Amino acid sequence: MNEEILTPVLDWLDLAGVAIFALTGALVAAKEKQTLVTLSFFALITGVGGGTIRDLLIEAPVFWIADPWVAAICLGMALFAWFTPTRWWEGRFLSIVDGLGLAAYAVLGTAKALEYGVPPVPAFLMGVITGCAGGIIRDVIAGRPSILMRPELYVTAAALSAALTVAGGMAGFERWYVWIAATVAGFGLRLAAIRWNLALPAYDERGASKE
């Protein structure tokens, strides 16, 4: 992390997002009964995928190359998944954990882009990419249907967190409060989507042909 640009709050958001996404990646591999090496690979690629793309696009130092804690956290999450039974993670728990990482990472990506001087709209997009890309990479490598192809709200939750981060910054509110509120809002929307299967309207070719 560049300590002259990023604050301790962003540091914690970054590590929290890495840990959560790394756990979801390792659990996907565990459910497929893979080796510890594969669990570690999935943990790393899921934990750092979105942040790596963001850093390359905004021309920032790739965060996990300079910070030895990131890879260590990913390995720790892989070991944690390895030594716990998969039945602990059945049901919606994995989606809920992923939703928390999604919101935290969307806020982090947006805030970091803004701190590096990226304009508001591209910074918003950096937040969405940071929040979503790791999970997409995880699903593609695992051969699972991507979350993007499901109707329930996912990218929208990341977009809400990113938009609130941008709006709060432009309004001049205290950054810490903005980041926390944006994380809670995005996570809350994702939880609501999981609980009540909330989704945006899907494209209807028959309806479109009538217009």
Side-chain angles (χ1 to χ4, degrees):
M1 286 291 185
N2 186 335
E3 295 180 355
E4 295 180 358
I5 294 178
L6 301 177
T7 71
V9 174
L10 287 185
D11 286 346
W12 282 109
L13 274 178
D14 197 20
L15 294 179
V18 166
I20 292 169
F21 271 129
L23 177 60
T24 66
L27 290 175
V28 166
K31 288 177 179 292
E32 297 296 327
K33 303 186 184 304
Q34 297 297 316
T35 66
L36 178 59
V37 172
T38 304
L39 263 70
S40 300
F41 173 78
F42 268 80
L44 180 64
I45 200 69
T46 309
V48 306
T52 300
I53 295 172
R54 173 204 63 219
D55 287 347
L56 291 173
L57 289 174
I58 68 175
E59 299 182 346
V62 178
F63 72 107
W64 63 276
I65 299 297
D67 188 347
W69 281 105
V70 176
I73 287 172
C74 291
L75 179 58
M77 291 297 100
L79 288 170
F80 179 70
W82 177 261
F83 287 109
T84 57
T86 55
R87 67 174 180 273
W88 286 12
W89 316 108
E90 297 296 337
R92 294 176 172 174
F93 182 82
L94 185 59
S95 296
I96 293 172
V97 171
D98 184 75
L100 179 57
L102 172 76
Y105 241 24
V107 171
L108 169 73
T110 306
K112 184 172 183 178
L114 290 171
E115 294 296 321
Y116 271 85
V118 177
V121 173
F124 162 80
L125 295 176
M126 289 303 100
V128 175
I129 290 172
T130 305
C132 298
I136 295 170
I137 295 171
R138 173 199 65 210
D139 292 341
V140 170
I141 295 177
R144 306 170 66 207
S146 172
I147 186 67
L148 290 180
M149 303 308 293
R150 301 178 211 167
E152 65 188 55
L153 300 180
Y154 187 81
V155 177
T156 306
L160 175 61
S161 290
L164 290 176
T165 304
V166 170
M170 294 178 67
F173 295 130
E174 180 67 35
R175 293 185 299 175
W176 291 27
Y177 298 132
V178 171
W179 297 336
I180 293 172
T183 300
V184 171
F187 182 46
L189 179 59
R190 181 66 187 134
L191 284 180
I194 294 170
R195 174 64 179 83
W196 292 292
N197 296 317
L198 301 180
L200 295 175
Y203 174 76
D204 186 344
E205 185 174 355
R206 292 172 299 175
S209 64
K210 296 176 183 179
E211 296 180 358

